[in-house]
Amino acid sequence: MNKLLLLTGLVLLLQMQLGSSFKLVCYFTNWAQYYPAPATYMPDNVDPCMCTHLIYAFATMNNNQIAPFEWNDPTLYASFNALKNYNSELKTLLSVGGWNYGTSGFNTMVSSSENRQTFINSVIKFLRQYDFDGLDIDWEYPGDSDRGSPPQTQQQFSVLLQEMHEAFVQEASQSNKPRLLMSAAVSAGKSTIQAGYQIPQLSKYLDLINVMTYDLRGSWEGFTGEDSPLFQGPADQGGYIYFNVDYAMNFWKDNGAAAEKLMVGFPAYGRTFTLSNPANNGLGAPISGAGPAAPYTQEAGFMAYFEICDFLKQDATVVWNSPQAVPYAYKGSQWIGYDNQKSFQIKAEWLMKNNFGGAMVWALPLDDFSGKFCGQGKYPLMNTLKSTLGISFPNCKTPTITVAPNTAQPATAAAPTASGSDGNSGFCVGKGNGLYPNPKNKSGFFNCLNGHTYQESCQTGLVFDSSCNCCNWA
Protein backbone atom coordinates (compact mmCIF):
# COMPACT_ATOMS: atom_id res chain seq x y z
CA MET A 1 0.00 0.00 0.00
CA ASN A 2 2.83 2.42 0.90
CA LYS A 3 4.50 1.70 -2.46
CA LEU A 4 1.25 2.43 -4.26
CA LEU A 5 0.81 5.75 -2.43
CA LEU A 6 4.41 6.66 -3.17
CA LEU A 7 3.97 5.83 -6.86
CA THR A 8 0.75 7.88 -7.02
CA GLY A 9 2.51 10.80 -5.39
CA LEU A 10 5.38 10.62 -7.86
CA VAL A 11 2.92 10.57 -10.79
CA LEU A 12 1.12 13.65 -9.46
CA LEU A 13 4.45 15.42 -8.89
CA LEU A 14 5.55 14.61 -12.44
CA GLN A 15 2.25 15.94 -13.82
CA MET A 16 2.74 19.18 -11.90
CA GLN A 17 6.25 19.58 -13.27
CA LEU A 18 5.28 18.76 -16.84
CA GLY A 19 2.09 20.85 -16.75
CA SER A 20 -1.37 19.92 -17.92
CA SER A 21 -1.82 17.88 -21.07
CA PHE A 22 -5.09 19.72 -21.75
CA LYS A 23 -5.46 22.78 -23.95
CA LEU A 24 -7.44 25.95 -23.32
CA VAL A 25 -8.30 27.58 -26.65
CA CYS A 26 -9.72 31.11 -26.39
CA TYR A 27 -11.34 33.30 -29.03
CA PHE A 28 -10.80 37.06 -29.19
CA THR A 29 -13.37 39.06 -31.20
CA ASN A 30 -12.28 42.20 -33.03
CA TRP A 31 -15.72 43.84 -32.75
CA ALA A 32 -15.62 43.88 -28.94
CA GLN A 33 -13.58 47.08 -29.29
CA TYR A 34 -16.93 48.76 -30.04
CA TYR A 35 -18.74 47.60 -26.90
CA PRO A 36 -19.59 50.59 -24.67
CA ALA A 37 -17.27 51.16 -21.70
CA PRO A 38 -16.52 49.44 -19.36
CA ALA A 39 -17.13 46.42 -21.61
CA THR A 40 -14.76 47.63 -24.35
CA TYR A 41 -12.25 44.87 -25.04
CA MET A 42 -8.86 45.13 -26.74
CA PRO A 43 -5.87 42.78 -27.04
CA ASP A 44 -4.34 44.55 -24.05
CA ASN A 45 -7.23 43.23 -21.93
CA VAL A 46 -6.19 39.63 -22.64
CA ASP A 47 -4.40 37.84 -19.80
CA PRO A 48 -1.46 36.18 -21.63
CA CYS A 49 -1.04 33.68 -18.77
CA MET A 50 -4.50 32.13 -19.12
CA CYS A 51 -4.88 30.24 -22.43
CA THR A 52 -2.67 27.83 -24.32
CA HIS A 53 -4.00 29.07 -27.69
CA LEU A 54 -5.49 32.45 -28.61
CA ILE A 55 -7.57 32.77 -31.79
CA TYR A 56 -8.22 36.18 -33.35
CA ALA A 57 -11.68 36.41 -34.97
CA PHE A 58 -12.26 37.28 -37.75
CA ALA A 59 -10.36 37.81 -40.96
CA THR A 60 -12.18 37.83 -44.29
CA MET A 61 -11.42 36.81 -47.89
CA ASN A 62 -11.11 38.90 -51.04
CA ASN A 63 -10.56 37.18 -54.39
CA ASN A 64 -9.69 33.90 -52.66
CA GLN A 65 -7.07 35.62 -50.50
CA ILE A 66 -7.17 36.16 -46.75
CA ALA A 67 -7.55 39.81 -45.74
CA PRO A 68 -8.16 41.97 -42.64
CA PHE A 69 -11.76 42.81 -41.80
CA GLU A 70 -11.71 45.71 -39.33
CA TRP A 71 -10.15 49.08 -40.12
CA ASN A 72 -7.48 48.66 -37.42
CA ASP A 73 -6.85 44.91 -37.61
CA PRO A 74 -3.13 45.26 -38.46
CA THR A 75 -2.62 47.36 -35.32
CA LEU A 76 -4.59 44.90 -33.20
CA TYR A 77 -2.64 41.99 -34.72
CA ALA A 78 0.56 43.54 -33.39
CA SER A 79 -0.85 43.97 -29.87
CA PHE A 80 -2.39 40.50 -29.97
CA ASN A 81 0.80 38.71 -30.98
CA ALA A 82 2.89 40.81 -28.59
CA LEU A 83 1.19 38.83 -25.81
CA LYS A 84 3.64 36.05 -26.65
CA ASN A 85 6.39 38.27 -25.23
CA TYR A 86 4.92 37.55 -21.78
CA ASN A 87 4.17 33.85 -22.33
CA SER A 88 6.63 31.97 -24.52
CA GLU A 89 4.32 28.91 -24.58
CA LEU A 90 1.36 30.82 -26.00
CA LYS A 91 0.25 30.09 -29.58
CA THR A 92 -1.81 32.53 -31.65
CA LEU A 93 -4.03 31.76 -34.63
CA LEU A 94 -6.06 33.88 -37.02
CA SER A 95 -9.61 32.76 -37.77
CA VAL A 96 -11.17 33.37 -41.17
CA GLY A 97 -14.91 33.35 -41.78
CA GLY A 98 -17.52 33.24 -39.04
CA TRP A 99 -21.32 32.94 -39.13
CA ASN A 100 -21.89 36.38 -40.66
CA TYR A 101 -19.33 35.77 -43.40
CA GLY A 102 -21.58 33.12 -44.90
CA THR A 103 -20.50 30.38 -47.30
CA SER A 104 -20.16 31.77 -50.83
CA GLY A 105 -16.54 32.87 -50.39
CA PHE A 106 -15.54 29.45 -49.08
CA ASN A 107 -17.55 27.67 -51.79
CA THR A 108 -15.68 29.57 -54.50
CA MET A 109 -12.28 29.22 -52.85
CA VAL A 110 -12.40 25.42 -52.53
CA SER A 111 -13.99 24.88 -55.95
CA SER A 112 -10.73 24.60 -57.90
CA SER A 113 -7.09 23.73 -57.35
CA GLU A 114 -6.05 27.19 -58.53
CA ASN A 115 -8.34 28.97 -56.07
CA ARG A 116 -7.23 26.79 -53.17
CA GLN A 117 -3.56 27.41 -53.99
CA THR A 118 -4.16 31.15 -54.16
CA PHE A 119 -5.75 31.04 -50.72
CA ILE A 120 -3.04 28.86 -49.17
CA ASN A 121 -0.23 31.03 -50.54
CA SER A 122 -1.93 34.17 -49.22
CA VAL A 123 -2.42 32.56 -45.81
CA ILE A 124 1.24 31.60 -45.43
CA LYS A 125 2.40 35.10 -46.38
CA PHE A 126 -0.20 36.79 -44.16
CA LEU A 127 0.40 34.68 -41.05
CA ARG A 128 4.17 35.08 -41.27
CA GLN A 129 3.89 38.82 -41.92
CA TYR A 130 1.81 39.41 -38.79
CA ASP A 131 3.49 36.77 -36.58
CA PHE A 132 0.58 34.35 -36.15
CA ASP A 133 1.31 30.69 -35.40
CA GLY A 134 -1.53 29.23 -37.43
CA LEU A 135 -4.90 29.48 -39.17
CA ASP A 136 -8.37 28.69 -37.88
CA ILE A 137 -11.14 28.11 -40.44
CA ASP A 138 -14.67 28.98 -39.30
CA TRP A 139 -16.78 27.89 -42.28
CA GLU A 140 -20.41 27.60 -41.22
CA TYR A 141 -20.88 25.14 -42.88
CA PRO A 142 -19.51 23.05 -45.76
CA GLY A 143 -22.10 20.76 -47.33
CA ASP A 144 -24.96 22.72 -45.73
CA SER A 145 -27.56 23.47 -48.40
CA ASP A 146 -29.58 25.63 -45.98
CA ARG A 147 -26.54 27.90 -45.69
CA GLY A 148 -25.76 27.81 -49.41
CA SER A 149 -22.95 25.24 -49.57
CA PRO A 150 -23.37 22.53 -52.24
CA PRO A 151 -22.79 18.85 -51.30
CA GLN A 152 -19.39 18.64 -53.02
CA THR A 153 -17.91 21.17 -50.60
CA GLN A 154 -17.72 18.44 -47.96
CA GLN A 155 -15.06 16.60 -49.96
CA GLN A 156 -13.47 19.84 -51.23
CA PHE A 157 -12.96 20.99 -47.63
CA SER A 158 -10.95 17.82 -46.95
CA VAL A 159 -8.84 18.45 -50.07
CA LEU A 160 -8.18 22.03 -48.93
CA LEU A 161 -6.96 20.83 -45.54
CA GLN A 162 -4.69 18.20 -47.11
CA GLU A 163 -3.16 20.70 -49.54
CA MET A 164 -2.78 23.31 -46.81
CA HIS A 165 -1.09 20.86 -44.47
CA GLU A 166 1.36 19.81 -47.18
CA ALA A 167 2.10 23.45 -48.01
CA PHE A 168 2.61 24.31 -44.32
CA VAL A 169 5.04 21.40 -43.91
CA GLN A 170 7.00 22.45 -46.99
CA GLU A 171 7.12 26.12 -45.94
CA ALA A 172 8.34 25.20 -42.46
CA SER A 173 11.15 23.13 -43.95
CA GLN A 174 12.21 25.95 -46.28
CA SER A 175 11.93 28.76 -43.72
CA ASN A 176 13.37 26.73 -40.84
CA LYS A 177 10.43 27.90 -38.68
CA PRO A 178 7.88 25.81 -36.75
CA ARG A 179 5.06 24.54 -38.96
CA LEU A 180 2.00 26.76 -38.99
CA LEU A 181 -0.87 25.24 -37.02
CA MET A 182 -4.27 24.34 -38.46
CA SER A 183 -7.57 24.40 -36.63
CA ALA A 184 -11.25 24.59 -37.54
CA ALA A 185 -14.44 25.58 -35.75
CA VAL A 186 -16.95 22.83 -36.52
CA SER A 187 -20.61 22.10 -35.93
CA ALA A 188 -22.05 20.15 -33.01
CA GLY A 189 -25.27 19.25 -34.85
CA LYS A 190 -25.46 15.64 -36.02
CA SER A 191 -27.02 16.28 -39.45
CA THR A 192 -24.69 19.24 -40.11
CA ILE A 193 -21.66 17.13 -39.18
CA GLN A 194 -22.74 14.30 -41.46
CA ALA A 195 -23.30 16.64 -44.42
CA GLY A 196 -20.24 18.79 -43.91
CA TYR A 197 -17.25 16.81 -42.72
CA GLN A 198 -15.21 13.75 -43.62
CA ILE A 199 -14.22 13.31 -40.00
CA PRO A 200 -11.16 11.00 -40.38
CA GLN A 201 -9.63 13.38 -42.94
CA LEU A 202 -10.20 16.42 -40.73
CA SER A 203 -8.63 14.60 -37.80
CA LYS A 204 -5.59 13.70 -39.90
CA TYR A 205 -4.73 17.24 -40.95
CA LEU A 206 -6.06 19.54 -38.20
CA ASP A 207 -4.19 20.21 -34.97
CA LEU A 208 -7.32 21.44 -33.19
CA ILE A 209 -10.96 20.56 -33.86
CA ASN A 210 -12.99 23.21 -32.04
CA VAL A 211 -16.50 21.80 -31.64
CA MET A 212 -19.07 24.57 -31.22
CA THR A 213 -21.10 22.85 -28.51
CA TYR A 214 -23.27 25.89 -27.86
CA ASP A 215 -26.28 27.56 -29.48
CA LEU A 216 -27.88 24.14 -29.04
CA ARG A 217 -31.11 25.95 -28.16
CA GLY A 218 -32.24 29.48 -28.88
CA SER A 219 -35.29 31.61 -29.58
CA TRP A 220 -35.41 30.15 -33.11
CA GLU A 221 -36.84 26.96 -31.58
CA GLY A 222 -39.98 28.67 -30.29
CA PHE A 223 -39.52 27.50 -26.69
CA THR A 224 -37.06 27.92 -23.84
CA GLY A 225 -33.95 25.75 -23.61
CA GLU A 226 -30.33 25.60 -22.51
CA ASP A 227 -27.58 27.10 -24.66
CA SER A 228 -25.05 24.34 -23.94
CA PRO A 229 -26.52 21.45 -21.93
CA LEU A 230 -24.02 18.77 -20.99
CA PHE A 231 -26.53 15.93 -21.21
CA GLN A 232 -29.85 15.11 -22.83
CA GLY A 233 -32.84 16.44 -20.89
CA PRO A 234 -35.67 14.20 -19.63
CA ALA A 235 -38.15 15.94 -21.93
CA ASP A 236 -35.96 15.88 -25.06
CA GLN A 237 -37.54 13.99 -27.95
CA GLY A 238 -36.87 13.39 -31.64
CA GLY A 239 -33.77 15.15 -32.99
CA TYR A 240 -33.40 17.12 -29.78
CA ILE A 241 -31.82 14.12 -28.08
CA TYR A 242 -28.68 14.85 -30.14
CA PHE A 243 -28.34 18.49 -29.10
CA ASN A 244 -26.14 18.22 -26.03
CA VAL A 245 -22.40 18.34 -25.38
CA ASP A 246 -22.05 14.68 -24.44
CA TYR A 247 -23.69 13.38 -27.62
CA ALA A 248 -21.92 15.82 -29.99
CA MET A 249 -18.42 15.21 -28.65
CA ASN A 250 -18.81 11.44 -28.64
CA PHE A 251 -20.28 11.53 -32.16
CA TRP A 252 -17.11 13.24 -33.40
CA LYS A 253 -14.91 10.76 -31.53
CA ASP A 254 -16.87 7.65 -32.51
CA ASN A 255 -16.77 8.64 -36.19
CA GLY A 256 -13.03 8.98 -36.53
CA ALA A 257 -11.77 12.11 -34.73
CA ALA A 258 -8.81 11.71 -32.39
CA ALA A 259 -10.02 12.53 -28.88
CA GLU A 260 -6.89 14.53 -28.06
CA LYS A 261 -7.60 16.91 -30.97
CA LEU A 262 -11.21 17.55 -29.97
CA MET A 263 -11.85 20.76 -28.03
CA VAL A 264 -15.15 21.02 -26.15
CA GLY A 265 -16.89 24.35 -26.79
CA PHE A 266 -17.71 26.47 -23.71
CA PRO A 267 -19.93 29.57 -24.10
CA ALA A 268 -19.23 32.61 -21.94
CA TYR A 269 -22.75 33.79 -22.76
CA GLY A 270 -26.36 32.68 -22.62
CA ARG A 271 -29.38 32.63 -24.92
CA THR A 272 -32.37 34.74 -23.90
CA PHE A 273 -36.08 34.36 -24.51
CA THR A 274 -39.29 36.35 -23.95
CA LEU A 275 -41.92 34.10 -22.38
CA SER A 276 -45.42 33.97 -23.84
CA ASN A 277 -46.76 33.60 -20.30
CA PRO A 278 -44.53 34.63 -17.36
CA ALA A 279 -46.30 32.06 -15.17
CA ASN A 280 -45.03 29.28 -17.46
CA ASN A 281 -41.29 29.64 -16.91
CA GLY A 282 -39.74 26.16 -17.02
CA LEU A 283 -37.74 24.34 -19.66
CA GLY A 284 -39.65 24.04 -22.92
CA ALA A 285 -41.98 26.93 -22.09
CA PRO A 286 -43.53 28.69 -25.11
CA ILE A 287 -42.04 32.04 -26.07
CA SER A 288 -43.07 35.09 -28.05
CA GLY A 289 -39.55 35.72 -29.33
CA ALA A 290 -35.95 36.45 -28.39
CA GLY A 291 -35.02 38.37 -25.29
CA PRO A 292 -34.28 42.08 -25.79
CA ALA A 293 -30.77 43.23 -26.68
CA ALA A 294 -28.54 43.61 -23.62
CA PRO A 295 -26.90 47.02 -22.99
CA TYR A 296 -23.33 46.14 -23.93
CA THR A 297 -23.37 43.32 -26.50
CA GLN A 298 -26.54 44.78 -28.08
CA GLU A 299 -27.78 41.58 -29.75
CA ALA A 300 -31.33 40.29 -29.27
CA GLY A 301 -31.52 36.81 -27.77
CA PHE A 302 -27.93 36.97 -26.48
CA MET A 303 -26.35 37.99 -23.20
CA ALA A 304 -22.67 37.95 -22.18
CA TYR A 305 -21.83 36.38 -18.83
CA PHE A 306 -21.05 39.75 -17.31
CA GLU A 307 -24.47 40.99 -18.46
CA ILE A 308 -26.10 37.88 -16.99
CA CYS A 309 -24.59 38.80 -13.63
CA ASP A 310 -26.38 42.16 -13.80
CA PHE A 311 -29.63 40.37 -14.73
CA LEU A 312 -29.32 38.00 -11.77
CA LYS A 313 -28.85 40.92 -9.37
CA GLN A 314 -32.34 42.15 -10.30
CA ASP A 315 -34.02 39.52 -8.10
CA ALA A 316 -34.12 36.95 -10.90
CA THR A 317 -34.95 33.37 -9.96
CA VAL A 318 -32.10 30.94 -10.62
CA VAL A 319 -32.81 27.24 -11.21
CA TRP A 320 -30.14 24.54 -11.34
CA ASN A 321 -31.03 22.14 -14.15
CA SER A 322 -29.49 19.03 -12.58
CA PRO A 323 -30.13 16.49 -15.40
CA GLN A 324 -28.31 18.72 -17.90
CA ALA A 325 -25.77 20.22 -15.44
CA VAL A 326 -26.46 23.86 -16.33
CA PRO A 327 -28.53 26.68 -14.79
CA TYR A 328 -31.32 28.85 -16.13
CA ALA A 329 -32.91 31.99 -14.73
CA TYR A 330 -36.04 34.05 -15.21
CA LYS A 331 -37.62 37.31 -14.11
CA GLY A 332 -41.02 38.41 -15.36
CA SER A 333 -41.22 37.56 -19.05
CA GLN A 334 -37.44 37.26 -19.48
CA TRP A 335 -35.77 33.81 -19.46
CA ILE A 336 -32.14 32.84 -20.00
CA GLY A 337 -30.30 29.53 -20.39
CA TYR A 338 -26.60 29.92 -19.65
CA ASP A 339 -23.41 28.60 -18.05
CA ASN A 340 -21.75 29.63 -14.81
CA GLN A 341 -18.68 28.66 -12.80
CA LYS A 342 -20.34 25.50 -11.49
CA SER A 343 -21.38 24.22 -14.93
CA PHE A 344 -17.97 25.12 -16.39
CA GLN A 345 -16.25 23.06 -13.70
CA ILE A 346 -18.56 20.08 -14.21
CA LYS A 347 -18.03 20.15 -17.99
CA ALA A 348 -14.27 20.51 -17.58
CA GLU A 349 -14.15 17.51 -15.24
CA TRP A 350 -16.31 15.57 -17.71
CA LEU A 351 -13.97 16.33 -20.66
CA MET A 352 -10.95 15.28 -18.60
CA LYS A 353 -12.64 12.02 -17.60
CA ASN A 354 -13.44 11.34 -21.27
CA ASN A 355 -9.90 12.20 -22.42
CA PHE A 356 -10.83 14.99 -24.81
CA GLY A 357 -8.07 17.41 -25.77
CA GLY A 358 -9.30 20.42 -23.88
CA ALA A 359 -11.69 23.35 -23.88
CA MET A 360 -12.48 26.06 -26.41
CA VAL A 361 -14.17 29.24 -25.19
CA TRP A 362 -16.34 31.67 -27.11
CA ALA A 363 -15.29 34.31 -26.26
CA LEU A 364 -12.90 36.20 -23.96
CA PRO A 365 -14.71 39.60 -24.07
CA LEU A 366 -17.92 37.95 -22.80
CA ASP A 367 -16.49 36.82 -19.46
CA ASP A 368 -16.31 39.35 -16.63
CA PHE A 369 -12.76 40.23 -17.64
CA SER A 370 -12.59 43.36 -15.46
CA GLY A 371 -14.25 41.82 -12.40
CA LYS A 372 -16.65 44.78 -12.21
CA PHE A 373 -19.92 42.93 -12.79
CA CYS A 374 -20.10 39.56 -11.05
CA GLY A 375 -18.18 39.98 -7.81
CA GLN A 376 -16.19 36.83 -8.62
CA GLY A 377 -12.87 38.43 -9.53
CA LYS A 378 -11.47 38.92 -13.02
CA TYR A 379 -12.28 36.28 -15.66
CA PRO A 380 -14.33 34.02 -13.32
CA LEU A 381 -15.32 31.54 -16.05
CA MET A 382 -11.88 31.41 -17.64
CA ASN A 383 -10.13 30.96 -14.32
CA THR A 384 -12.53 28.13 -13.42
CA LEU A 385 -11.49 26.32 -16.61
CA LYS A 386 -7.82 27.06 -16.16
CA SER A 387 -7.71 25.75 -12.60
CA THR A 388 -9.90 22.70 -13.27
CA LEU A 389 -7.82 21.68 -16.29
CA GLY A 390 -4.63 22.20 -14.30
CA ILE A 391 -3.14 24.67 -16.76
CA SER A 392 -0.23 26.81 -15.57
CA PHE A 393 2.57 28.85 -17.09
CA PRO A 394 5.30 29.18 -14.42
CA ASN A 395 7.41 31.49 -16.56
CA CYS A 396 4.60 33.75 -17.75
CA LYS A 397 4.69 37.39 -16.70
CA THR A 398 1.42 39.30 -16.60
CA PRO A 399 1.79 42.79 -18.11
CA THR A 400 1.21 45.67 -15.72
CA ILE A 401 0.57 48.41 -18.30
CA THR A 402 -2.61 48.50 -20.38
CA VAL A 403 -3.58 50.78 -23.23
CA ALA A 404 -6.63 53.02 -22.83
CA PRO A 405 -9.57 51.30 -24.57
CA ASN A 406 -11.26 52.54 -27.70
CA THR A 407 -14.57 53.93 -26.42
CA ALA A 408 -15.74 55.90 -29.42
CA GLN A 409 -16.47 55.39 -33.09
CA PRO A 410 -13.76 53.81 -35.22
CA ALA A 411 -11.90 55.54 -37.94
CA THR A 412 -12.88 54.56 -41.44
CA ALA A 413 -10.26 53.98 -44.03
CA ALA A 414 -9.66 51.81 -47.00
CA ALA A 415 -7.04 49.15 -46.69
CA PRO A 416 -4.05 51.27 -45.66
CA THR A 417 -1.29 51.92 -48.11
CA ALA A 418 2.10 53.29 -47.17
CA SER A 419 2.04 57.05 -47.40
CA GLY A 420 4.71 59.02 -49.14
CA SER A 421 3.07 61.61 -51.35
CA ASP A 422 2.76 64.06 -48.47
CA GLY A 423 6.31 63.72 -47.26
CA ASN A 424 5.34 61.74 -44.15
CA SER A 425 6.66 58.35 -45.29
CA GLY A 426 9.30 58.33 -42.57
CA PHE A 427 7.02 59.33 -39.69
CA CYS A 428 6.99 55.84 -38.11
CA VAL A 429 10.70 55.13 -38.32
CA GLY A 430 11.86 54.32 -34.81
CA LYS A 431 8.35 54.43 -33.36
CA GLY A 432 6.47 51.55 -31.75
CA ASN A 433 3.42 49.95 -33.37
CA GLY A 434 0.25 51.95 -32.81
CA LEU A 435 -1.74 55.03 -33.73
CA TYR A 436 -0.34 58.57 -33.62
CA PRO A 437 -2.07 61.93 -34.24
CA ASN A 438 -1.28 63.86 -37.40
CA PRO A 439 -0.11 67.29 -36.17
CA LYS A 440 -1.14 68.87 -39.48
CA ASN A 441 -4.68 67.46 -39.54
CA LYS A 442 -6.94 67.00 -36.50
CA SER A 443 -9.00 64.37 -38.29
CA GLY A 444 -5.96 62.44 -39.49
CA PHE A 445 -3.67 59.97 -37.81
CA PHE A 446 -0.76 57.69 -38.62
CA ASN A 447 -0.92 53.93 -38.18
CA CYS A 448 2.61 52.68 -37.47
CA LEU A 449 3.34 49.01 -38.09
CA ASN A 450 6.86 47.60 -38.02
CA GLY A 451 8.33 50.97 -38.94
CA HIS A 452 6.02 51.48 -41.93
CA THR A 453 3.78 54.56 -42.07
CA TYR A 454 0.10 54.32 -43.00
CA GLN A 455 -1.85 57.57 -43.20
CA GLU A 456 -5.55 57.32 -42.30
CA SER A 457 -8.39 59.67 -41.38
CA CYS A 458 -11.53 59.73 -39.27
CA GLN A 459 -15.11 59.96 -40.49
CA THR A 460 -16.41 63.41 -41.37
CA GLY A 461 -17.14 65.37 -38.20
CA LEU A 462 -14.79 63.32 -36.01
CA VAL A 463 -11.26 64.06 -34.83
CA PHE A 464 -8.49 61.76 -33.65
CA ASP A 465 -8.43 61.59 -29.84
CA SER A 466 -5.06 60.57 -28.38
CA SER A 467 -6.58 59.80 -24.97
CA CYS A 468 -8.38 56.76 -26.34
CA ASN A 469 -6.48 56.19 -29.61
CA CYS A 470 -9.78 56.52 -31.41
CA CYS A 471 -11.93 58.85 -33.48
CA ASN A 472 -14.16 61.00 -31.31
CA TRP A 473 -16.49 63.96 -31.51
CA ALA A 474 -14.59 67.23 -31.55
Side-chain angles (χ1 to χ4, degrees):
M1 179 64 71
N2 289 337
K3 290 182 179 180
L4 179 61
L5 289 173
L6 178 62
L7 181 61
T8 303
L10 288 172
V11 170
L12 290 173
L13 179 62
L14 184 62
Q15 286 179 334
M16 291 173 61
Q17 291 175 337
L18 295 176
S20 174
S21 61
F22 298 101
K23 299 178 179 67
L24 183 50
V25 181
C26 310
Y27 276 90
F28 166 90
T29 55
N30 56 4
W31 59 90
Q33 63 181 306
Y34 305 129
Y35 291 162
T40 312
Y41 197 88
M42 304 292 278
D44 302 277
N45 296 111
V46 178
D47 180 351
C49 306
M50 192 160 52
C51 306
T52 62
H53 297 72
L54 288 175
I55 302 182
Y56 187 109
F58 285 111
T60 187
M61 270 192 288
N62 294 323
N63 299 318
N64 302 312
Q65 298 183 66
I66 194 168
F69 181 84
E70 287 291 345
W71 64 284
N72 60 345
D73 271 340
T75 300
L76 298 189
Y77 293 161
S79 300
F80 187 79
N81 287 312
L83 294 166
K84 292 184 286 189
N85 295 332
Y86 302 97
N87 183 359
S88 60
E89 299 178 59
L90 181 63
K91 301 297 182 184
T92 60
L93 296 90
L94 178 63
S95 186
V96 59
W99 178 266
N100 291 334
Y101 178 77
T103 60
S104 62
F106 284 114
N107 296 340
T108 301
M109 183 267 289
V110 300
S111 65
S112 73
S113 175
E114 292 77 14
N115 288 357
R116 293 191 300 270
Q117 198 59 52
T118 296
F119 176 70
I120 293 168
N121 290 340
S122 76
V123 164
I124 292 173
K125 180 180 179 181
F126 199 90
L127 297 182
R128 292 304 191 196
Q129 177 183 354
Y130 292 110
D131 196 30
F132 285 97
D133 299 305
L135 181 76
D136 176 68
I137 300 176
D138 190 352
W139 179 354
E140 302 185 30
Y141 302 97
D144 188 341
S145 58
D146 290 340
R147 293 277 291 163
S149 288
Q152 64 266 26
T153 54
Q154 180 200 48
Q155 187 263 342
Q156 289 169 342
F157 185 41
S158 298
V159 174
L160 170 71
L161 296 180
Q162 178 180 354
E163 293 175 348
M164 181 176 291
H165 185 271
E166 292 169 354
F168 282 7
V169 169
Q170 182 179 9
E171 187 273 341
S173 175
Q174 293 173 345
S175 66
N176 201 28
K177 296 178 180 179
R179 175 180 63 80
L180 292 166
L181 300 173
M182 293 172 53
S183 78
V186 299
S187 175
K190 181 181 178 181
S191 60
T192 307
I193 297 169
Q194 290 173 318
Y197 311 112
Q198 297 175 322
I199 294 179
Q201 286 89 327
L202 265 64
S203 183
K204 181 177 181 180
Y205 298 114
L206 291 172
D207 298 290
L208 303 170
I209 303 173
N210 301 316
V211 187
M212 295 183 282
T213 42
Y214 38 73
D215 292 344
L216 300 179
R217 302 287 192 284
S219 57
W220 53 84
E221 302 289 0
F223 54 86
T224 60
E226 299 284 10
D227 180 41
S228 182
L230 180 54
F231 301 113
Q232 175 185 335
D236 287 342
Q237 297 178 357
Y240 290 107
I241 66 174
Y242 307 130
F243 284 88
N244 57 79
V245 177
D246 177 74
Y247 184 89
M249 296 305 302
N250 281 298
F251 186 83
W252 273 94
K253 183 171 69 173
D254 294 344
N255 284 275
E260 66 273 12
K261 291 187 175 184
L262 288 167
M263 305 297 128
V264 181
F266 285 70
Y269 68 90
R271 285 291 173 183
T272 63
F273 308 77
T274 299
L275 297 167
S276 297
N277 176 7
N280 186 358
N281 48 36
L283 283 166
I287 64 169
S288 60
Y296 296 101
T297 52
Q298 302 173 352
E299 177 185 339
F302 180 96
M303 198 178 284
Y305 181 68
F306 67 85
E307 294 172 317
I308 294 171
C309 289
D310 270 355
F311 176 76
L312 298 181
K313 292 174 185 176
Q314 301 167 23
D315 296 322
T317 300
V318 178
V319 178
W320 178 253
N321 176 1
S322 184
Q324 297 186 288
V326 277
Y328 65 85
Y330 58 87
K331 181 179 186 292
S333 64
Q334 298 308 303
W335 197 101
I336 181 167
Y338 65 104
D339 273 87
N340 59 12
Q341 289 173 290
K342 180 179 178 180
S343 66
F344 263 41
Q345 180 175 345
I346 291 172
K347 285 180 186 173
E349 291 170 345
W350 171 88
L351 83 81
M352 295 167 73
K353 180 182 177 182
N354 286 275
N355 296 312
F356 290 111
M360 173 271 283
V361 181
W362 185 273
L364 289 174
L366 305 176
D367 196 2
D368 184 14
F369 66 90
S370 65
K372 295 178 179 178
F373 291 86
C374 302
Q376 301 162 349
K378 295 182 178 180
Y379 287 109
L381 296 181
M382 294 303 312
N383 280 311
T384 296
L385 279 182
K386 180 183 176 185
S387 61
T388 305
L389 296 175
I391 292 171
S392 64
F393 302 102
N395 298 319
C396 182
K397 299 177 181 179
T398 304
T400 55
I401 300 175
T402 58
V403 176
N406 178 355
T407 58
Q409 296 187 32
T412 55
T417 56
S419 65
S421 58
D422 62 351
N424 288 309
S425 59
F427 178 87
C428 291
V429 175
K431 291 184 172 64
N433 293 340
L435 307 181
Y436 296 84
N438 184 340
K440 298 179 181 178
N441 179 3
K442 291 182 179 180
S443 296
F445 60 95
F446 297 113
N447 184 349
C448 295
L449 183 65
N450 300 329
H452 297 291
T453 304
Y454 302 97
Q455 186 172 348
E456 304 180 35
S457 62
C458 298
Q459 292 172 314
T460 303
L462 302 180
V463 299
F464 184 76
D465 184 348
S466 298
S467 68
C468 63
N469 273 353
C470 65
C471 293
N472 212 338
W473 299 108

